[in-house]
Amino acid sequence: MRKTLLLTAVAAMALGAGPALAKKQLVIVVKGLDNPFFEAIHQGCEKWNKENASSEYECFYTGPASTSDEAGEAQIVQDMLSKPDTVAMAISPSNAPLIAQTIKSANPSIPIMTVDADLTKEDAGLRKTYLGTDNYLMGKKIGEYIKKAKPNGGTICTIEGNPAADNILRRAQGMRDALTGKEGLTALAGEGGWTEVAGCPVFTNDDGAKGVQAMTDILAANPKLDAFGIMGGWPLFGAPQPYRDLFKPMADKIAKNEFVIGAADTIGDEVAIAKEGLVTALVGQRPFEMGYKAPAVMIDLIGNKKVDDPVFTGLDECTKETADTCIQK
């Protein structure tokens, strides 16, 4: 009898200890698990977990299988907000208005922040802060590299991702502003010497192969095209060999600035491609740093501590000449 009671007591204690041992979840929801950029955020999240193994909090990384699954990301946000162990959330919105509506519908009591991509200015009040790249500055730097290579202007095509992704739209605006010296133009028709060709911008939904195919088609339709402005590195890191196959025949023109390619990001094969002279310049983000810093920011928000808005993570700039040393270590 005594042995039975003892076993019952031990079992009760074990069951009672379960919830106490469960960690509070600092959730990061990204646009898609199929993108190496977001995997770098994941690695930053995991490094934080490793360094804070005794913390009551845990960084939990999730997202839809495909970056193009906007509805899937919104559903994951909704599902994770309904879980009692979710105590803060960092979201990279693929479709900013859709994610804003999801947050409004859920009406969460926990702190929400954005990472990598922000909500629109109209919906910024739904989150506490944005952690990530200064996307306007990133686009502006891409534009400055293109303008430096071709100071008299020319024809250009902009490659974008999702038409409702706020971060990509800000980059494109920064590039146009840098090229023209004017602010707020949504399309270029000769301003500063630059004209966007018909069919551009091209929206690829962050699909690398689709991006390379789009550039192939644009070049076929515009054999005298002068430049591409690529607002995300998808064609370079998502389809590196097709990208190389497309631009190797143009390597001499790229070297002489007769054809110019300014692109975002420095992940995957991108820096190697720069070293090979198949892109004029890369302006890269720091996704690992975003994933590593996000948990600490969320904990500060939970504790009602003052957090800057925005929190920028900096940029790396790479050309053929600087490819060996351009990435922040």
Side-chain angles (χ1 to χ4, degrees):
M1 180 69 175
R2 180 178 293 180
K3 185 176 181 180
T4 302
L5 289 172
L6 181 60
L7 289 172
T8 303
V10 169
M13 287 173 65
L15 289 171
L21 292 174
K23 294 205 173 199
K24 300 173 183 177
Q25 301 295 296
L26 306 169
V27 178
I28 298 178
V29 183
V30 299
K31 298 176 184 178
L33 304 182
D34 58 342
N35 188 321
F37 180 90
F38 295 118
E39 177 56 26
I41 290 180
H42 183 202
Q43 294 304 314
C45 168
E46 289 303 317
K47 182 183 179 184
W48 188 92
N49 281 336
K50 186 176 180 180
E51 292 182 357
N52 296 273
S54 62
S55 172
E56 64 179 311
Y57 298 103
E58 179 179 52
C59 182
F60 181 79
Y61 170 88
T62 187
S66 171
T67 309
S68 63
D69 188 2
E70 300 172 9
E73 183 186 27
Q75 186 62 55
I76 288 170
V77 168
Q78 182 176 314
D79 291 346
M80 296 306 298
L81 286 174
S82 70
K83 293 183 178 295
D85 54 354
T86 299
V87 294
M89 184 177 290
I91 310 169
S92 175
S94 179
N95 183 320
L98 177 60
I99 293 299
Q101 186 55 53
T102 303
I103 295 170
K104 289 175 186 176
S105 298
N107 191 25
S109 58
I110 64 170
I112 303 294
M113 61 179 283
T114 50
V115 61
D116 164 58
D118 204 358
L119 299 176
T120 63
K121 291 180 181 178
E122 294 75 15
D123 292 321
L126 294 171
R127 89 298 185 266
K128 299 293 186 181
T129 189
Y130 161 75
L131 168 68
T133 303
D134 183 338
N135 286 291
Y136 177 83
L137 177 62
M138 184 183 192
K140 191 171 183 181
K141 285 184 176 291
I142 292 172
E144 288 170 350
Y145 275 108
I146 296 171
K147 186 175 182 178
K148 181 179 179 181
K150 278 200 166 293
N152 296 323
T155 53
I156 188 170
C157 181
T158 307
I159 306 298
E160 302 187 32
N162 186 302
D166 181 76
N167 58 335
I168 303 301
L169 298 176
R170 293 191 191 199
R171 290 176 204 169
Q173 191 61 64
M175 185 194 73
R176 292 187 180 102
D177 291 359
L179 290 175
T180 63
K182 299 179 180 181
E183 294 186 358
L185 295 171
T186 56
L188 305 184
E191 296 89 352
W194 288 97
T195 298
E196 292 183 72
V197 298
C200 296
V202 176
F203 295 97
T204 66
N205 287 319
D206 300 7
D207 186 313
K210 187 175 180 180
V212 174
Q213 185 59 56
M215 290 189 289
T216 303
D217 295 342
I218 290 294
L219 284 169
N222 302 273
K224 294 185 178 180
L225 186 76
D226 293 298
F228 278 116
I230 307 174
M231 298 299 102
W234 322 289
L236 291 84
F237 66 68
Q241 195 54 51
Y243 178 92
R244 286 182 169 102
D245 293 342
L246 177 61
F247 288 109
K248 273 183 181 178
M250 301 176 67
D252 286 343
K253 292 182 70 175
I254 295 170
K256 297 174 183 177
N257 288 333
E258 293 174 5
F259 192 84
V260 183
I261 307 172
D265 299 325
T266 51
I267 58 179
D269 275 16
E270 287 195 83
V271 178
I273 287 171
K275 195 170 183 179
E276 294 162 22
L278 300 181
V279 63
T280 306
L282 302 171
V283 180
Q285 307 175 80
R286 296 173 181 167
F288 181 89
E289 186 178 345
M290 295 177 202
Y292 182 66
K293 284 187 172 181
V297 174
M298 284 189 271
I299 291 170
D300 283 347
L301 292 173
I302 291 168
N304 293 315
K305 293 182 180 178
K306 186 179 185 306
V307 174
D308 290 338
D309 180 21
V311 180
F312 289 138
T313 48
L315 297 166
D316 295 312
E317 301 175 38
C318 300
T319 63
K320 182 178 181 179
E321 294 72 28
T322 66
D324 289 331
T325 58
C326 62
I327 303 298
Q328 182 198 48
K329 301 298 182 184

